[in-house]
Amino acid sequence: MSLEQVRYRDAQARKDHLITLLILVFAIAWLFPIAWTLWTSLRPYSEVLMQGIFSIPTKVDLTNYREALNQMFMYRYFTNTLIVLVPVVVISLFFASSMAFVITKFNFKHNKQLLLLFTAGSLLPPQVIFLPIFKMYIIVGSWFGNKSMLYDNYLGLILIHIALQTGFATFILNSYLQTIPKEISEQAQVDGASVFQHYFMIVLPMMKAPILTLGILISTWVYNDFFWGFAMMKSDAIRPMSTALGRIGAFRQLIPDQGVLAAGSLIAALPLVILYLFLRKHFMSGIILGTVVKAK
């Protein structure tokens, strides 16, 4: 081995060590808050106050989790979240898949501009579009004799999330449909398949992987949303999980025990972890499938 090759090997080895060190630092920085929260949730908070967080605990149990379920009304907020989450995911994915199908498979004027319009609406910050949406809700409510008809209820929040999530999902599904050979659609037309048969029996089954991937992403975004739940709901009894738990001031007054708060935070994060574990194979295949098909 020549001297140049030895120097090149040593340089690459130093780069590899540096990259490994940086990844380790970032991993520790990312995992430390989670480990801290977990450690706090398993100990009596009175003991932490007296001896410090790094002391050896005399008692480790799930008492804080039981208290969190009872004191923080986790069952109620999780139910509220499901009432919003399920229709948002189902309806937005149906709208997105059908619009992507129409935009991709049928040529009409301004179809690409229509796609960009759907996508652009999803990229606007919520603080920018909050006032126009709120005014629109007042106008629509006044048509039915009740200006607050869409405020402080599930329907108003569901409609907002559907409108915001549909644009991004349409863009992703449109990109995926462009990788499907046109011969499949042409063969369906030759066989006499109607538009609905073409969509439901041919195109929709082929979009299973990206639809499941988008379902996980939309579920995560809606579940973790704080702004819209806080802005469009004033009744605590119907607020979704993230908005309710985000009211830290109220919880500090009602629940000063930080161990209970830590347990409640981990319980709130658990449903999304379970969802990902069950659908992780579909999630990964949905991410790489478009690239694989295009490469073929």
Side-chain angles (χ1 to χ4, degrees):
M1 184 179 294
S2 65
L3 181 60
E4 291 296 328
Q5 291 176 329
V6 172
R7 290 178 178 175
Y8 176 78
R9 184 193 62 185
D10 293 341
Q12 289 297 117
R14 287 193 295 270
K15 291 180 181 179
D16 293 341
H17 291 322
L18 179 60
I19 293 174
T20 302
L21 179 61
L22 291 175
I23 293 176
L24 180 61
V25 170
F26 282 118
I28 293 175
W30 185 81
L31 291 173
F32 180 75
I34 300 176
W36 183 290
T37 304
L38 178 61
W39 185 237
T40 303
S41 69
L42 295 173
R43 305 179 59 184
Y45 190 60
S46 57
E47 181 181 281
V48 175
L49 291 176
M50 294 178 59
Q51 302 180 12
I53 187 65
F54 296 108
S55 61
I56 299 176
T58 58
K59 181 181 180 182
V60 176
D61 57 24
L62 300 177
T63 301
N64 288 330
Y65 289 88
R66 290 193 294 269
E67 293 297 323
L69 290 173
N70 295 326
Q71 296 183 38
M72 298 175 69
F73 308 106
M74 303 295 291
Y75 295 114
R76 176 207 295 172
Y77 295 135
F78 182 67
T79 302
N80 296 342
T81 303
L82 286 180
I83 294 174
V84 176
L85 178 64
V86 173
V88 168
V89 173
V90 174
I91 297 175
S92 60
L93 287 178
F94 172 72
F95 284 167
S97 60
S98 57
M99 285 189 291
F101 167 71
V102 172
I103 293 173
T104 306
K105 300 303 179 182
F106 298 96
N107 293 322
F108 56 92
K109 191 176 182 180
H110 303 308
N111 60 338
K112 298 301 180 183
Q113 289 80 357
L114 181 63
L115 175 62
L116 293 176
L117 182 63
F118 282 133
T119 307
S122 303
L123 300 178
L124 294 174
Q127 294 83 357
V128 174
I129 60 178
F130 165 69
L131 187 57
I133 290 179
F134 190 76
K135 289 183 176 180
M136 181 181 66
Y137 272 18
I138 293 176
I139 294 173
V140 173
S142 64
W143 293 345
F144 294 91
N146 182 9
K147 291 184 177 181
S148 61
M149 182 183 69
L150 295 175
Y151 178 70
D152 196 30
N153 58 54
Y154 296 120
L155 178 60
L157 189 59
I158 289 172
L159 293 176
I160 288 177
H161 281 303
I162 290 175
L164 295 177
Q165 304 302 333
T166 299
F168 174 77
T170 301
F171 176 78
I172 297 299
L173 293 177
N174 174 76
S175 301
Y176 174 77
L177 285 177
Q178 290 180 355
T179 65
I180 298 178
K182 294 182 179 180
E183 290 76 11
I184 297 178
S185 298
E186 294 173 354
Q187 183 62 45
Q189 294 176 354
V190 171
D191 293 340
S194 65
V195 174
F196 291 101
Q197 289 174 330
H198 188 185
Y199 169 72
F200 284 105
M201 300 178 63
I202 299 175
V203 174
L204 197 59
M206 298 178 66
M207 291 194 293
K208 178 181 178 181
I211 284 178
L212 286 175
T213 302
L214 284 171
I216 297 175
L217 293 176
I218 293 175
S219 299
T220 302
W221 295 332
V222 175
Y223 190 91
N224 292 329
D225 171 70
F226 172 82
F227 179 84
W228 290 111
F230 181 80
M232 301 304 298
M233 288 186 168
K234 65 178 180 180
S235 301
D236 184 73
I238 63 173
R239 280 178 170 169
M241 180 75 75
S242 296
T243 304
L245 299 185
R247 297 169 61 245
I248 300 298
F251 279 138
R252 282 181 178 171
Q253 295 175 4
L254 299 174
I255 307 174
D257 193 325
Q258 298 298 306
V260 175
L261 291 176
S265 300
L266 292 176
I267 292 174
L270 188 60
L272 289 180
V273 175
I274 296 175
L275 177 66
Y276 173 76
L277 291 177
F278 273 104
L279 299 178
R280 64 185 184 277
K281 293 182 179 180
H282 299 287
F283 182 79
M284 296 305 300
S285 63
I287 292 177
I288 66 176
L289 189 55
T291 306
V292 172
V293 173
K294 186 174 292 187
K296 290 181 178 181

